[in-house]
Amino acid sequence: MTKGVGEFEQLVLLAVARLGEDGYGMTVRREIERRTGRAASIGAVYATLDRLERKGYVAARTGEPTPKRGGRARRYYRLEAAGAENLLVARRNLDRMWEDVDLGGEAGRA
Amino acid sequence: MTRLPRLAVLVLGRLLPASHREPLLGDLAEEYADRVESGGRVRAARWLWSQVLRSVVPAIELRFASPRVLLPVARKDSIMGRLLQDLRHALRLIRRGPGYALVVAGTLSLGIGASTVVFSVVDGVVLNPFPFPEPSRLVGVGSEFPRAGLELNFWENLSPAEYLDIRDGTRALRDVVAWDMGNRQASFGDVTDNLFTAFWWGDAFPTLGVQPVLGRGFTAEEIRRGDRVAILSHRVWETRFGGARDLVGGTVLVNGEPYTIVGIMPPRSLIYGTDLWLPMTVAPEVFPRARRQFQVLGRLAPGATLAQANTELAGLAARVAEDHAAALPEYRDWRLVAMTWADINVRFLKPAALVLTGAVAFVLLLVIANVANLVLARSTSRRREFALRAALGAGGGRLMQQLLTENVLLALCGGALGVGLGVLGVRGVVSALPSVSVPVPGEIAVNVRVLLFSTLVAVGSGLAFGLLPALRARRSDLQATLQEEGHGSTGGSRLRLQRVFVGVEVALALVLLVGGGLLMRSFMRLQAVEPGFQTENVLTMRLTLPRERYSEDRIEPFFRELVRRVEEIPGVAHAATATQFPPGVFQQRRVWIEGAEPADEGTLPTAYTTLVSPGFFEALGIPLMRGRLLSEDDLPGAPIVAVINEVAARRFFPDRDPVGGRFRLSEPESGGPWVMVVGVVGSTRNRGLDSPAEPEVFASMRQVPGGNQFFLLTRTRVDARSVLPDVRAVVRGLDAQQPVYAIQTVREAYAARASTRRLSTLLLSIFGTLALLLAALGIYAVVSYAVSQRTREIGLRMALGAGQPDVRRLVLRQALLPVLVGATVGLAGAIALGRAMTGLLFEVSGVDLVTLASVTAVLLGSALLATYIPARRASRLDPLGALRFEQSGH
């Protein structure tokens, strides 16, 4: 059985999934900010990625250093099968819970 | 290329585990660079620092959560395992209630930041001002001439003959050198720079105890022959010659003449930013014995002490007086004093530095008392948590360890923030310090020692204030605590302790506020002093004409033409030249007054002698009181005339009209000419606003040759700095090779003089305000806590008929008692401090009733306010609700 993940962990996992080959700390942070308006801190993003890595939901590899980064290498993250499965389960559970719930127009406005 | 600010890298780099340091900092650098490009540096920096601050807690979490750290020590019962457990628990608590953590860490960071600033600056300016080895053995020789009214002085204080006496007549001093400072123009290719230059009799390297990076010092032969040899500073070597190794043996043009480079100084500026060292061109024997314009430096011989050197110098002074006092009466009772070079340079800064260090120690104590208060209050609300954990099997030591971990973590967070504040503060303070009081520019920074000190303070205070509640937690009795109803005996003794803290805080705050208040009043007094002339809109700069290109008879015409052309610049009202101008008047000479036989006892008359162009008085707006000013018709060949200030008129001609009186500037035996007084002008505060006006005589530079260095003074109708490009163009038009330097307005000159005073006033006022806030916060916390402890009692009283005013009075009376006790102790401390500060004050007594009264009123007012808010809350309690109130664990 896969263990449930928190909301922020889901956002990070989804950002990694969306970014494909281009997922690393900065792009993950920006992706979340761009899509949800949540200005997460880079530290929180890394703390979460680290947790997800230890759970086996994402895998990391070291990329290339660039001068713009002051010669520091990137650390790319890729979604693992367990991570994908966890996201799908979370989504299915949420969808089921949302069925027939009406909180008064929130969906209509979107 | 945009780079991350060093401080950001430092803060996060230290906190992050190695595995995440590089990618995270890289990401920050990348996005920061993007943001600088798209939104500008300011917005990017704001974003960056918000990112850094918000990443601090996750970074710590990363460090301890990383499996690479955790796995080998994951056993829960190992020390490391328990520590990690505690840390995680502490982080969770911080996340859940960030308010408490913010207040504690914020308060601590203020205390640590303030102490970092003060200790860094005091360390850089006062304790270790020079980068020399064994600084306590490098000494300067000062002189005091009581008969000439000259106090102990270490600058331009000795003549060449006196230097030789000291060099050859003392055994406790070795490597004795004499030196002078001036300006020379050095050409590097087609660039000509004005370089601040030191001239030496002797090789200064062994005296200073440093080695040249390349080459050598001056040899005795070179000095004796007056060879054209030069030593360059490390920074000139790097910026002008790219650090070329083969420079030694090469040539540099000094005032247009070729000099052979024989050495390069080690990095860092050695003496007052001098970039060029030259040997003195003339042998010391050439100068007259009374020509005192040199400084003497030496090193204590191995085994010799400063006291021995001073004993030798006293004997030497007595012998010189015996030999020469007949011809030179100022030698009677004169003294020679050796002092360490560091002490000489900081002797005027030291009192302020001591007061500030004491003040910052007080702030730190206040911070610790306050945090201890907060922790005590906090631990009360967590008693149930501790009791429960104890019931579930946690031993007393275990709970204590956890509390300590939490507090040290908070202290470290506060420490990190504080060091950040300190770095910014040090930069601010150093930029506000006058350049002359910073012996080695660019050397003052938060150094490792200070960093270590701050960390110790942070961790130490974490331990100190974590310990008390931890001890209590250990003793807490499970059953009593779980059943406690909020008025137990532990609450009472804790409250007593908190009241003691309040008393201490009030006392400390009062002392600091009085210190700040005294300096502020003193500063206001100083600002109200009339300088004696119009200080606004006067631009000043200095020119040194090289002797190689300007013979004596070409100097005055050059400056006369310069003044004429500058006066044609639109916006310029007057221009003039002078050897010195207030507030920087320093050239003092003995004068011999006609008809006043010098008494055997008493002070010999001395005056500041200033050579000026005739327009000097109009340019500065100095009013004429009697007679006439100097004029264009006072020419060489005509009788020499002078204008004197009112102080000189009163002192030298006490009972007759000074106009028409005569005096000499050299010994009567020398046959020097008489100078006739033609006018009296108003006195200016010629030694700065905090010193009384001194006698000053002004002679025309057309009649009395005055060397090759003059200040150009330009009075403008527009903003003084705005005419600078035009003035520079005029100088270039006269001589394309001639640099100008020491550019400042008279206003800036006065501000620079007051800057040390302004800075200590500002810092102490900030500390005082900080102390007031902290004390008010402490009082508020304690009274609020006391009210919450006594809710049931108050409810009962109200149910029995006590009205709202009765309750308010009850709370106020109890709360204000420690405040009053603290204020009384504080007043005693403040009076002691005021006495110690007398030397720093200007026209304000150390025990100043106005300051004491107003500060006490402000403090008591704030205390009353801090008490009144919770007192009012208590009086509005609903009696029934209060009776049902049970203190619940949160």
Side-chain angles (χ1 to χ4, degrees):
Chain A
M1 196 198 109
T2 46
K3 229 171 131 190
V5 288
E7 193 213 349
F8 191 65
E9 284 176 321
Q10 280 191 47
L11 292 183
V12 171
L13 275 176
L14 284 166
V16 170
R18 299 184 65 86
L19 290 162
E21 287 296 293
D22 196 32
Y24 61 97
M26 180 189 107
T27 48
V28 167
R29 202 200 71 77
R30 281 193 162 175
E31 186 70 14
I32 293 172
E33 185 171 277
R34 187 153 47 217
R35 302 213 145 246
T36 67
R38 234 164 108 166
S41 81
I42 191 75
V45 167
Y46 269 99
T48 308
L49 281 170
D50 186 65
R51 218 154 39 233
L52 294 170
E53 190 186 351
R54 271 183 289 126
K55 288 179 184 168
Y57 294 171
V58 295
R61 71 178 170 84
T62 301
E64 70 287 358
T66 67
K68 196 178 184 182
R69 301 169 58 86
R72 300 180 185 94
R74 284 178 184 156
R75 188 178 166 94
Y76 285 103
Y77 290 88
R78 178 169 50 84
L79 193 63
E80 290 280 304
E85 192 197 334
N86 191 289
L87 274 176
L88 287 171
V89 169
R91 175 165 187 175
R92 197 188 58 213
N93 289 343
L94 276 179
D95 282 348
R96 284 185 185 160
M97 291 307 290
W98 272 104
E99 254 171 52
D100 304 324
V101 175
D102 184 6
L103 299 179
E106 185 65 28
R109 251 184 281 139
Chain B
M1 175 71 57
T2 314
R3 288 181 49 192
L4 274 185
R6 278 220 319 267
L7 184 61
V9 176
L10 192 83
V11 171
L12 279 185
R14 286 282 154 86
L15 291 174
L16 284 165
S19 55
H20 287 77
R21 195 173 298 142
E22 206 174 295
L24 195 152
L25 289 176
D27 286 353
L28 269 183
E30 194 175 344
E31 190 162 358
Y32 177 62
D34 283 350
R35 281 173 186 262
V36 167
E37 218 166 278
S38 63
R41 195 165 284 277
V42 177
R43 285 173 63 181
R46 200 179 307 148
W47 171 84
L48 178 74
W49 285 109
S50 130
Q51 282 286 324
V52 170
L53 287 179
R54 286 163 53 211
S55 294
V56 165
V57 173
I60 298 171
E61 200 179 337
L62 259 177
R63 162 151 246 166
F64 293 106
S66 269
R68 287 155 290 275
V69 176
L70 194 58
L71 278 177
V73 287
R75 290 201 336 271
K76 286 255 151 107
D77 53 344
S78 73
I79 294 177
M80 202 58 196
R82 282 204 307 256
L83 185 65
L84 291 174
Q85 204 183 357
D86 286 346
L87 269 174
R88 244 170 277 135
H89 185 73
L91 287 172
R92 209 156 45 231
L93 279 174
I94 291 176
R95 283 246 195 99
R96 232 193 301 146
Y100 167 77
L102 268 178
V103 171
V104 171
T107 311
L108 269 176
S109 72
L110 285 177
I112 291 167
S115 47
T116 303
V117 171
V118 169
F119 284 107
S120 294
V121 173
V122 168
D123 186 50
V125 177
V126 181
L127 298 181
N128 290 297
F130 294 98
F132 304 133
E134 289 196 275
S136 60
R137 306 193 66 80
L138 181 66
V139 298
V141 181
S143 60
E144 185 184 338
F145 295 94
R147 289 271 293 156
L150 296 178
E151 297 158 359
L152 182 59
N153 179 26
F154 289 84
W155 298 106
E156 303 196 336
N157 63 314
L158 290 169
S159 70
E162 288 154 5
Y163 157 60
L164 293 180
D165 292 338
I166 295 166
R167 189 189 69 185
D168 304 333
T170 54
R171 273 195 235 163
L173 294 178
R174 63 172 176 87
D175 297 322
V176 180
V177 293
W179 59 296
D180 189 13
M181 290 181 283
N183 290 278
R184 286 294 178 270
Q185 291 154 27
S187 304
F188 310 96
D190 44 6
V191 187
T192 300
D193 282 341
N194 184 81
L195 291 190
F196 197 37
T197 307
F199 308 91
W200 301 93
W201 274 312
D203 179 4
F205 286 122
T207 315
L208 299 178
V210 294
Q211 295 284 331
V213 282
L214 281 182
R216 53 172 177 81
F218 302 129
T219 64
E221 276 296 283
E222 281 167 345
I223 288 171
R224 195 178 53 74
R225 289 194 306 254
D227 282 358
R228 290 198 168 150
V229 285
I231 294 171
L232 287 176
S233 73
H234 195 267
R235 62 181 175 197
V236 165
W237 179 53
E238 289 216 307
T239 55
R240 290 292 180 208
F241 299 99
R245 310 283 310 173
D246 56 355
L247 191 64
V248 169
T251 308
V252 62
L253 289 182
V254 177
N255 282 7
E257 301 285 328
Y259 277 65
T260 306
I261 300 169
V262 297
I264 306 292
M265 295 176 222
R268 308 201 282 191
S269 163
L270 293 181
I271 295 270
Y272 296 102
T274 49
D275 282 314
L276 175 65
W277 287 0
L278 302 176
M280 213 83 78
T281 49
V282 198
E285 292 81 1
V286 173
F287 287 85
R289 182 165 262 282
R291 176 80 163 276
R292 297 189 181 90
Q293 61 177 61
F294 304 94
Q295 294 83 235
V296 170
L297 262 181
R299 204 161 256 281
L300 289 175
T305 65
L306 194 60
Q308 282 166 6
N310 272 313
T311 312
E312 275 188 1
L313 286 172
L316 177 71
R319 285 200 301 282
V320 171
E322 209 165 288
D323 293 345
H324 300 282
L328 301 167
E330 70 268 24
Y331 271 134
R332 231 165 273 158
D333 306 325
W334 82 307
R335 288 203 313 140
L336 284 172
V337 176
M339 206 186 265
T340 68
W341 177 240
D343 280 346
I344 292 167
N345 282 279
V346 302
R347 78 194 163 116
F348 298 111
L349 289 175
K350 217 166 201 170
L354 282 178
V355 166
L356 281 178
T357 309
V360 91
F362 273 31
V363 170
L364 209 54
L365 282 176
L366 249 168
V367 163
I368 291 172
N370 221 334
V371 170
N373 237 334
L374 287 168
V375 172
L376 278 168
R378 167 85 163 186
S379 70
T380 310
S381 64
R382 285 176 59 188
R383 250 179 310 167
R384 275 175 171 246
E385 179 200 327
F386 293 138
L388 266 172
R389 293 187 56 178
L392 294 173
R398 188 72 195 77
L399 286 179
M400 200 158 142
Q401 191 193 332
Q402 189 211 322
L403 259 175
L404 280 177
T405 311
E406 282 176 34
N407 287 313
V408 172
L409 178 69
L410 279 183
L412 282 177
C413 285
L417 274 176
V419 169
L421 281 179
V423 171
L424 297 179
V426 167
R427 263 186 228 164
V429 167
V430 169
S431 67
L433 273 173
S435 54
V436 287
S437 57
V438 184
V440 185
E443 284 284 302
I444 303 164
V446 173
N447 57 25
V448 181
R449 258 174 306 166
V450 172
L451 209 69
L452 206 67
F453 175 83
S454 304
T455 314
L456 272 181
V457 169
V459 177
S461 54
L463 286 174
F465 63 67
L467 214 57
L468 277 170
L471 283 172
R472 285 180 191 287
R474 201 177 176 159
R475 265 189 307 181
S476 72
D477 166 25
L478 172 66
Q479 202 144 25
T481 309
L482 287 176
Q483 289 175 352
E484 200 173 72
E485 281 179 300
H487 48 79
S489 59
T490 37
S493 72
R494 186 166 298 146
L495 198 55
R496 263 200 303 283
L497 192 60
Q498 282 184 291
R499 289 215 173 101
V500 172
F501 279 137
V502 164
V504 172
E505 286 186 42
V506 167
L508 291 173
L510 192 79
V511 173
L512 282 177
L513 278 172
V514 167
L518 284 175
L519 283 185
M520 212 175 323
R521 258 172 70 80
S522 154
F523 194 73
M524 275 155 52
R525 283 277 167 89
L526 194 67
Q527 293 305 298
V529 170
E530 291 287 338
F533 68 105
Q534 287 154 28
T535 54
E536 65 288 340
N537 293 339
V538 186
L539 180 68
T540 76
M541 65 194 72
R542 203 168 193 190
L543 292 91
T544 306
L545 300 184
R547 297 265 191 204
E548 288 80 355
R549 289 191 286 124
Y550 288 88
S551 54
E552 191 70 48
D553 58 329
R554 285 188 58 208
I555 293 174
E556 194 274 330
F558 173 91
F559 282 108
R560 192 168 0 125
E561 181 61 15
L562 176 64
V563 166
R564 196 185 65 74
R565 293 200 195 177
V566 168
E567 283 191 328
E568 282 173 359
I569 296 172
V572 170
H574 295 285
T577 49
T579 49
Q580 49 192 353
F581 64 91
V585 171
F586 46 84
Q587 280 167 21
Q588 200 174 24
R589 290 165 87 160
R590 268 202 61 191
V591 292
W592 286 262
I593 314 291
E594 185 180 37
E597 282 310 308
D600 248 8
E601 300 307 316
T603 312
L604 303 164
T606 55
Y608 289 95
T609 47
T610 309
L611 299 177
V612 298
S613 68
F616 174 80
F617 305 98
E618 287 96 340
L620 286 191
I622 299 174
L624 175 69
M625 315 309 278
R626 288 186 62 80
R628 67 167 175 92
L629 297 175
L630 299 173
S631 90
E632 299 289 345
D633 302 325
D634 297 321
L635 292 171
I640 297 177
V641 297
V643 164
I644 63 177
N645 68 358
E646 282 186 307
V647 179
R650 269 199 305 276
R651 201 164 301 169
F652 302 155
F653 304 97
D655 37 20
R656 52 193 163 128
D657 186 355
V659 176
R662 300 203 298 172
F663 63 89
R664 273 191 167 120
L665 285 170
S666 53
E667 298 86 344
E669 303 76 47
S670 71
W674 286 105
V675 180
M676 189 173 78
V677 177
V678 292
V680 177
V681 293
S683 302
T684 63
R685 295 274 181 158
N686 41 16
R687 291 209 304 164
L689 291 179
D690 50 358
S691 305
E694 293 290 333
E696 188 169 355
V697 306
F698 304 89
S700 170
M701 58 190 277
R702 301 180 73 167
Q703 288 193 318
V704 182
N708 56 340
Q709 289 192 50
F710 281 90
F711 287 99
L712 173 68
L713 311 171
T714 310
R715 152 122 11 232
T716 58
R717 291 188 202 92
V718 291
D719 174 52
R721 283 240 168 215
S722 69
V723 301
L724 181 57
D726 297 326
V727 176
R728 278 184 189 278
V730 166
V731 174
R732 259 200 312 278
L734 279 167
D735 181 345
Q737 304 255 288
Q738 181 59 47
V740 297
Y741 60 97
I743 298 159
Q744 59 180 350
T745 67
V746 169
R747 271 284 164 86
E748 289 161 2
Y750 272 105
R753 291 229 144 195
S755 57
T756 316
R757 204 183 272 272
R758 183 181 307 116
L759 190 66
S760 40
T761 307
L762 184 71
L763 284 181
L764 208 53
S765 308
I766 291 176
F767 292 166
T769 314
L770 211 61
L772 182 69
L773 283 175
L774 288 173
L777 194 70
I779 295 167
Y780 176 79
V782 171
V783 179
S784 296
Y785 172 73
V787 167
S788 78
Q789 287 278 302
R790 299 175 64 187
T791 304
R792 276 173 61 100
E793 182 204 328
I794 292 170
L796 196 62
R797 281 174 190 260
M798 289 178 85
L800 291 175
Q804 286 195 0
D806 299 315
V807 173
R808 274 204 295 271
R809 228 172 303 149
L810 173 79
V811 175
L812 282 177
R813 199 172 52 224
Q814 286 234 338
L816 285 180
L817 186 70
V819 171
L820 288 177
V821 173
T824 313
V825 176
L827 271 178
I831 289 171
L833 173 79
R835 293 237 166 92
M837 277 175 59
T838 308
L840 294 177
L841 300 178
F842 175 75
E843 290 185 1
V844 174
S845 145
V847 187
D848 183 56
L849 287 181
V850 178
T851 308
L852 287 175
S854 50
V855 162
T856 311
V858 167
L859 188 72
L860 290 182
S862 312
L864 210 60
L865 192 70
T867 316
Y868 186 72
I869 299 167
R872 209 171 73 132
R873 205 184 313 130
S875 72
R876 296 221 171 142
L877 279 175
D878 163 27
L880 269 182
L883 278 172
R884 254 187 258 120
F885 173 87
E886 249 186 276
Q887 203 188 16
S888 54
H890 308 287

